[in-house]
């Protein structure tokens, strides 16, 4: 065999080896490049999402959840998976290892799984939906599963409610924006907040329950069903508006003790009523006179 022919065979063999090596190397490099990165956990304050890298060269995504007691996968056409899609398969409060892979045309064409990320399973309570009953002046919402109580927010005020209604008659009339937050005592269920509800509440005060006057101590005692900011006191033909009240909350309602020494001059007919404050808080009823 000639030297020239021998060199040709050797170079041909080397070229084949190099070509195969290049193909294998290219495959390995490409394989590494298409591996998804760690799953991102996205929490927008009301919902939780799991995000894998986007790759249009594969037809889908597989998310894997593994804990000490279970392991399951979920295949998706989208690289963004909502917790709601898998929550029935999770054990809330348990620790999971999360990973994802790209799906090929067949099982052998899938990529390997990404690096795992740790996540303790939690969820948000459902969002309360508020409605307003104008005839009864009551805000209500549906009972939220897993909620132990609710917080009603308005005008920098927070009121804790165990039921699913809020009676506006316990506050003064006005133009309000209400929100309700569902709260669970279980730390694995996070609070959820309703959409705001704008309410124009016109409060018509009720007549006073009883009015008594002690002419020895000049003490005017009033029992009312509701908390009042001001009261009109009637002494014969004179009317006095009394403000800065300090009611005492009792089982029957609100008790007001007002000293009239400065204005009582022996008048015989003593009465009182709630006082109109503004267009939102008004009284159009009868005067309640002493027993």
């Amino acid at each position: 065999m000639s030297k020239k022919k021998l060199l040709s065979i050797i170079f041909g063999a080397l070229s084949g080896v190099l070509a195969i090596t290049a193909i294998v190397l290219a495959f390995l490099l490409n394989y590494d490049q298409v591996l998804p990165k760690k799953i991102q956990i996205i929490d927008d304050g009301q919902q939780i999402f799991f995000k894998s890298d986007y790759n249009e060269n594969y037809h889908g995504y597989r998310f894997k959840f593994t804990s000490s007691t279970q392991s399951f996968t979920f295949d998706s056409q989208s690289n963004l998976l909502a917790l709601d899609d898998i929550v029935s398969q999770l054990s809330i409060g348990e620790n999971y290892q999360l990973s994802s892979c790209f799906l090929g045309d067949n099982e052998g064409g899938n990529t390997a799984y990404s690096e795992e990320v740790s996540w303790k399973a939690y969820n948000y309570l459902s969002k309360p939906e508020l409605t307003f009953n104008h005839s009864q002046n009551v805000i209500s919402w549906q009972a939220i599963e897993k909620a132990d109580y609710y917080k009603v927010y308005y005008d920098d005020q927070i009121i804790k409610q165990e039921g699913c209604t809020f009676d506006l008659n316990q506050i003064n009339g006005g133009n309000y924006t209400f929100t309700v937050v569902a709260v669970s005592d279980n730390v694995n269920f996070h609070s959820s907040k309703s959409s705001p509800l704008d309410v124009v509440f016109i409060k018509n005060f009720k007549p006073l329950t009883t009015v008594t006057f002690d002419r020895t101590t000049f003490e005017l005692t009033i029992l009312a069903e509701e908390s009042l900011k001001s009261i009109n006191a009637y002494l014969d033909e004179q009317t006095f508006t009394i403000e800065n009240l300090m009611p005492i909350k009792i089982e029957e309602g609100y008790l007001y003790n007002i000293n009239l020494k400065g204005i009582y001059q022996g008048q015989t007919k003593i009465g009182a009523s709630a006082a109109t404050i503004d267009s939102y808080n008004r009284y159009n009823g009868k005067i309640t006179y002493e027993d």
Side-chain angles (χ1 to χ4, degrees), residues 9-11 20 25 65 76 92 94 111 118 121 132-133 151 173 175 177 184 201 216 223 229 239 243 247 258 260 289:
I9 292 171
I10 293 172
F11 281 122
I20 293 171
L25 183 60
F65 295 77
S76 171
I92 299 299
E94 194 161 337
T111 68
S118 297
F132 178 49
N133 185 315
K151 292 180 180 179
N175 199 340
T177 297
S184 174
F201 170 42
T216 303
L223 177 62
K229 281 190 174 182
T239 302
E243 300 178 334
I258 303 168
L260 301 184
Y289 289 97

Side-chain angles (χ1 to χ4, degrees), residues 211-230:
V211 173
T212 59
F213 182 62
D214 188 324
R215 286 171 171 76
T216 303
T217 63
F218 312 109
E219 194 79 13
L220 180 67
T221 302
I222 295 170
L223 177 62
E225 290 186 38
E226 52 207 351
S227 178
L228 303 170
K229 281 190 174 182
S230 58

Side-chain angles (χ1 to χ4, degrees), residues 272-283:
S273 72
T276 292
I277 301 171
D278 52 34
S279 60
Y280 296 110
N281 301 272
R282 55 202 186 194
Y283 181 70

Side-chain angles (χ1 to χ4, degrees), residues 201-272:
F201 170 42
I202 306 299
K203 184 168 185 176
N204 294 296
F205 295 118
K206 299 176 182 178
L208 304 178
T209 305
T210 59
V211 173
T212 59
F213 182 62
D214 188 324
R215 286 171 171 76
T216 303
T217 63
F218 312 109
E219 194 79 13
L220 180 67
T221 302
I222 295 170
L223 177 62
E225 290 186 38
E226 52 207 351
S227 178
L228 303 170
K229 281 190 174 182
S230 58
I231 288 175
N232 284 334
Y234 303 92
L235 284 69
D236 288 343
E237 303 303 320
Q238 292 180 292
T239 302
F240 301 90
T241 299
I242 301 169
E243 300 178 334
N244 301 318
L245 304 173
M246 299 182 64
I248 301 171
K249 182 70 175 74
I250 60 176
E251 185 176 350
E252 296 84 358
Y254 294 85
L255 192 64
Y256 300 84
N257 294 307
I258 303 168
N259 192 287
L260 301 184
K261 184 176 182 180
I263 56 176
Y264 178 68
Q265 297 176 348
Q267 293 94 332
T268 59
K269 193 175 183 181
I270 310 297

